[in-house]
Amino acid sequence: MREELADLSGAELSRAFATRALSPVEVMADVLARVERLEPVLCATWALDAQAAMEGARASERRWHAGTARSPLDGIPVTLKELIATQGCPKPVGTAATELVPQTADAPPAARLNEAGCIAFAKTTVPDYGMLSSGLSSFHKLARNPWDITRNPGGSSAGAGAAAAAGYGPFHVGTDIGGSVRLPAGWCGIFALKPSNGRIPIDPPYIGRVAGPMTRTVSDAAMMMTALSGPDPRDFMDLPPEMLPWMDLDADVKGLRIGLMLDAGCGAAPEPDVVAAIEEAARLFEAGGAHVEPVAPFMTPAMLDGLDRFWRTRFWAETKDLPPERYEKILPYIRAWVEPAAGYTGLDVYTGFDQIMQMRERGRAYQSCDLLLSPVAPMPAFAADLPSPTNDPARPFDHIGFTVPFNMTEQPASSINCGYSAEGLPIGLQIVGRRFADMDVLRASRWYEQARGPQRPWPLSLEQGVQG
């Protein structure tokens, strides 16, 4: 079977391109072969342009041969979440209700990777408006999890999580406002970084919204950050540009003060398999010389409910004036979720937004900790055709209690695989750092990646059958 090159890391590809051991043309051909074979089942991509991808690979090959590579990332294949605009390509935002209008410019993450020479060959699928932790969409085909195609890859960076696990090249970019890079990463067994808010410029910016790399290895995510963190004036919520030592990942955890949070304080309780995997990861950090202590949650049900009210109101404002024939194309689950917002009072909305401020204030309780460890999600991947683990639009966010607070506190957080359920499904460990301490999170993630031992082989055969 071809496709061997599709599984190489970005670091391996960069070295091979520099020495001419491999060509970007060979690599892109293998990646496209992998996608062609698996995509009929995974449905992870949209707007794939194989001809443009091969043209980009040939151009990169010429630059490497001429000694004019744009960066060490030149020629490496990358997918971009469909919510990230690229010039000339429509942005359906996952819903059949959207009019397909070509975008006029690359959004910042796309622009930075293009400048670095990466080959963006496809978009990855999302649910309607990116509003679900699921691969269910009224526009895209149902995305599935490579580990078990009867299960969900998570969302809203659904296609990105599936594509990374399936080896559609090494680099993938998602976005995250409540867990949307970390949840698919946890459920698909890959690595993802939600950086400090503003570390990667994004357009349009919004409270808690970030872009982040989704990869198979920590070093590949760090490699992507060398480009993604470049400044862009369109993001009025960005951090001051700072050249962090992204590739300086060697560090141990000896002496670190680490909090272990096994209760989110709201939403669903972690299942036994999840708790066991996180506790085993914590013991590994202790064995490495860290001081690990249990910590109480700072989230409350009122905080999650308040955020839910505010997000419902925001989405209702965006969709209420759509023509009826377009509004009715939105997934029924999402319509059922948002429509109660039509009856909210101003006080309902204000008190909902105020819960974000409560999260930011109470989240400072852990400043004495260098890092926090927690589950990414309370449960392994759920059924592929469900919009959420509860399948209840009245309780749509019971699974994001561990992830969403760190969007609102603006702290960096990663997801890295730490074990498997009894059914063989990946389980994600979340590593959270202090605000702006992105390097602490990456270094701890890299240490854990090396300490955790061999992982199960990537699921590339997709032998399971799909009903319906």
Side-chain angles (χ1 to χ4, degrees), residues 116-130:
C118 289
I119 304 171
F121 69 95
K123 294 297 189 70
T124 48
T125 55
V126 300
D128 286 49
Y129 297 95

Side-chain angles (χ1 to χ4, degrees), residues 239-313:
L239 295 176
E242 183 178 7
M243 287 300 296
L244 295 177
W246 294 113
M247 302 308 297
D248 181 10
L249 299 176
D250 292 333
D252 60 32
V253 297
K254 187 175 182 179
L256 292 183
R257 295 164 296 177
I258 298 178
L260 175 62
M261 185 183 292
L262 294 174
D263 177 5
C266 59
E271 294 183 2
D273 282 356
V274 173
V275 172
I278 303 303
E279 288 180 334
E280 179 59 30
R283 284 191 286 270
L284 199 56
F285 275 90
E286 284 186 314
H291 304 289
V292 181
E293 296 289 342
V295 296
F298 68 92
M299 287 286 285
T300 66
M303 289 179 182
L304 195 60
D305 290 346
L307 183 68
D308 184 8
R309 288 198 306 279
F310 177 68
W311 278 355
R312 289 185 199 224
T313 306

Side-chain angles (χ1 to χ4, degrees), residues 135-174:
L136 185 64
S137 163
S138 63
F139 180 83
H140 300 296
K141 294 179 181 178
L142 178 64
R144 297 180 180 276
N145 192 320
W147 290 90
D148 180 343
I149 59 176
T150 70
R151 301 298 181 105
N152 210 293
S156 61
S157 304
Y168 289 13
F171 287 177
H172 309 271
V173 185

